[in-house]
Amino acid sequence: MRTLHRSAALAAAGTAVLAVALTACGSGSKDEGAAKPAATVAAQPSKDASAAAGSAAMTAMKSGGTTVSKSVTAKQAGTKSGGSKDTDSYAYTHPCTGGQVTVRVTRRAATQRVIEVRNTGASACGLSYYPAVDLGSSASADQSHNIKPLVPGGLGGPPAYALHAGRTAYALIDLNPSGATTGTAPGIDEMNVLANGDHMSNAETRNFPLGSGAKVLKPKLGLHSATVAQAVASMQQADTRS
């Protein structure tokens, strides 16, 4: 009887030890999981959150980049447009100078001469409505009695004629519109031209020979024009002393 109770007691004791060992093993697994820092886990965003954040950042970058690009382009365009010197408005505030233009005179008909004023500069400049012209004798020291042509009347104040870079303005003078062979002014053999009569000094006047025997009577001068045909039509409207 004593042997039976001892075996039962030993068996019970072994079962208790095994139960304690299993409990300790299970308890160790739970403690390892709980030891992970909560802050470390919280700092790692989910894949969905990362993707959303990346997409938002890319959208913001694209939007910002587009805005900056458009702003720079607009600024450059404005600078280019605003800084242009070959415009009418620039010409009206920057008169042509003698060093910026060349003047040439050609014969169109027996009594007609075409005055060509060419802008050789890189920017536009402003001319008077018509060149300052007078006709006289190359041999005379006194030019005060030179003949001045009639010009179109009814003109307003400046701005007058905008001459763009590389362009030519034409003005036509008819020395003898009536074609008269008698009563013409004697000794006239030279034409004096000041391209921009409103702003150039007399020292910039150019002299052009008419040749001996030129017949001058009540000459007419037209406005600076873009073409010779327009210059002729303008000359025909001349009715006012210059």
Side-chain angles (χ1 to χ4, degrees):
M1 291 297 289
R2 290 180 181 176
T3 302
L4 179 60
H5 288 297
R6 185 178 181 184
S7 299
L10 290 173
T15 302
V17 171
L18 179 62
V20 171
L22 290 173
T23 301
C25 183
S27 175
S29 298
K30 290 180 180 178
D31 290 343
E32 184 180 355
K36 293 181 179 179
T40 302
V41 175
Q44 297 177 353
S46 66
K47 291 183 178 180
D48 291 342
S50 298
S55 176
M58 288 299 292
T59 300
M61 288 176 64
K62 289 181 179 180
S63 177
T66 301
T67 301
V68 171
S69 177
K70 288 182 178 179
S71 177
V72 171
T73 302
K75 184 177 181 181
Q76 291 175 341
T79 300
K80 182 177 181 181
S81 177
S84 176
K85 295 182 179 181
D86 195 23
T87 63
D88 286 1
S89 58
Y90 186 88
Y92 294 147
T93 56
H94 294 79
C96 296
T97 63
Q100 188 175 3
V101 299
T102 59
V103 182
R104 189 173 73 136
V105 173
T106 60
R107 181 190 293 264
R108 182 176 183 270
T111 62
Q112 295 182 353
R113 302 292 187 274
V114 178
I115 301 169
E116 302 177 5
V117 180
R118 181 172 180 79
N119 184 349
T120 59
S123 58
C125 64
L127 289 173
S128 47
Y129 281 107
Y130 48 82
V133 176
D134 62 66
L135 307 160
S137 170
S138 59
S140 175
D142 181 10
Q143 302 286 318
S144 61
H145 298 291
N146 285 5
I147 299 173
K148 293 185 177 182
L150 298 176
V151 295
L155 303 176
Y161 188 88
L163 183 60
H164 288 246
R167 299 293 183 86
T168 300
Y170 302 92
L172 187 132
I173 183 171
D174 195 329
L175 305 175
N176 184 7
S178 65
T181 56
T182 59
T184 58
I188 304 297
D189 65 353
E190 183 178 70
M191 179 167 67
N192 307 306
V193 179
L194 186 59
N196 190 2
D198 291 341
H199 296 94
M200 289 181 180
S201 67
N202 289 334
E204 294 177 296
T205 299
R206 300 292 180 263
N207 313 111
F208 300 92
L210 296 176
S212 59
K215 298 185 182 301
V216 178
L217 180 64
K218 298 180 180 178
K220 290 185 176 183
L221 172 68
L223 306 178
H224 280 126
S225 305
T227 66
V228 174
Q230 291 175 355
V232 172
S234 176
M235 177 274 297
Q236 294 171 344
Q237 303 300 315
D239 57 1
T240 304
R241 290 193 176 279
S242 57

